[in-house]
């Protein structure tokens, strides 16, 4: 099975990691916290009528960061050809500062949680030169059997790698912006109360 569609109308939507192989899991290799796997520059086709990176294009960049992470723990083109992939179940993005044409971007990623078929990740986007935080994205992603079109458990070796990454990342301080809900926050009202109104 080959699952590699070509987007001829917008080739910049394709992952820059297509064709890049995953390396075998080395249990003795150090695991950075957070991981820094993806960098890019804001492209002209990502810029909107306000002169900023369009909101949909933030998701392209975070998606490329996820794609780099997939290869880090074993999901590459060959793995997808065997009939398995990762699907996004939920995303929550926060836009912190304007992101402009030509700005260099640096992405970090923390694995917040993992179970037998899902991962919970937190991305942070920074200006690569001055370190300004630009955006964050929190995602729940599901391991999927493409032939059955349903979620499937991670293979045992992949799960061991994910557990090792999670254990390393869990030793870092809690990510204060993880798990946020969307609400208009008002003085004197608890965030969960604001979200329920």
């Amino acid at each position: 099975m080959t699952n590699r569609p070509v987007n001829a109308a917008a080739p910049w939507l394709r992952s820059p990691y297509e064709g890049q192989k995953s390396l075998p899991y080395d249990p003795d290799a150090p695991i950075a916290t957070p991981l820094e796997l993806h960098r890019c520059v804001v492209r002209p086709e990502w810029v909107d009528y306000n002169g900023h990176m369009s909101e949909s294009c933030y998701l392209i960049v975070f998606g490329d960061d996820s794609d780099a992470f997939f290869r880090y723990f074993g999901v590459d083109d060959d793995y997808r050809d065997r009939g398995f992939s990762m699907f996004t179940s939920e995303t929550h993005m926060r836009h912190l500062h304007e992101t402009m044409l030509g700005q260099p971007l640096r992405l970090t990623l923390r694995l917040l949680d993992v179970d037998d078929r899902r991962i919970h990740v937190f991305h942070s986007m920074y200006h690569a030169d001055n370190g300004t935080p630009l955006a964050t994205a929190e995602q729940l992603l599901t391991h999927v059997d493409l032939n059955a079109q349903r979620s499937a458990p991670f293979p045992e070796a992949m799960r061991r790698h994910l557990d090792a990454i999670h254990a390393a990342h869990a030793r870092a301080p809690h990510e204060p912006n993880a798990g946020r809900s969307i609400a208009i926050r008002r003085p004197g009202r608890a965030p969960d109360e604001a979200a329920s109104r």
Side-chain angles (χ1 to χ4, degrees):
M1 172 181 178
T2 299
N3 189 30
R4 300 184 190 175
V6 175
N7 191 332
W12 48 271
L13 289 175
R14 296 178 66 189
S15 167
Y17 298 98
E18 285 191 33
Q20 182 174 314
K21 305 288 187 193
S22 295
L23 296 176
Y25 172 44
D26 177 359
D28 297 320
I31 298 170
T33 304
L35 293 167
E36 294 192 20
L37 303 173
H38 181 62
R39 287 180 178 241
C40 63
V41 172
V42 179
R43 303 169 62 129
E45 55 267 37
W46 294 349
V47 176
D48 67 14
Y49 44 75
N50 290 317
H52 309 147
M53 187 160 78
S54 178
E55 61 185 293
S56 61
C57 295
Y58 283 82
L59 191 54
I60 292 172
V61 176
F62 287 127
D64 289 343
D65 195 38
S66 289
D67 218 34
F69 181 54
F70 297 160
R71 279 153 181 77
Y72 182 80
F73 70 80
V75 176
D76 59 12
D77 297 339
D78 292 340
Y79 187 76
R80 286 195 301 277
D81 284 348
R82 293 198 297 273
F84 297 92
S85 191
M86 299 294 299
F87 285 10
T88 302
S89 301
E90 187 172 347
T91 300
H92 179 189
M93 287 194 300
R94 297 170 61 238
H95 303 272
L96 307 175
H97 283 93
E98 296 173 337
T99 306
M100 314 296 284
L101 175 65
Q103 282 186 340
L105 306 179
R106 175 177 65 89
L107 282 290
T108 66
L109 181 146
R110 281 184 62 181
L111 179 59
L112 299 181
D113 204 357
V114 59
D115 68 11
D116 67 337
R117 57 189 72 202
R118 295 171 298 181
I119 59 174
H120 179 188
V121 300
F122 192 88
H123 307 267
S124 296
M125 179 190 295
Y126 301 93
H127 190 294
D129 290 341
N130 62 32
T132 300
L134 301 173
T136 66
E138 187 172 358
Q139 293 188 302
L140 187 66
L141 301 123
T142 302
H143 183 250
V144 172
D145 179 332
L146 295 169
N147 295 310
Q149 287 294 298
R150 60 182 300 166
S151 66
F154 291 110
E156 184 178 338
M158 187 178 289
R159 177 62 193 271
R160 282 198 305 271
H161 193 186
L162 286 166
D163 284 341
I165 299 165
H166 179 235
H169 289 189
R171 289 192 286 269
H174 171 72
E175 172 52 60
N177 292 304
R180 290 171 55 107
S181 61
I182 297 176
I184 297 176
R185 314 229 185 260
R186 303 188 189 282
R189 184 184 297 170
D192 57 344
E193 182 185 354
S196 67
R197 292 178 183 241

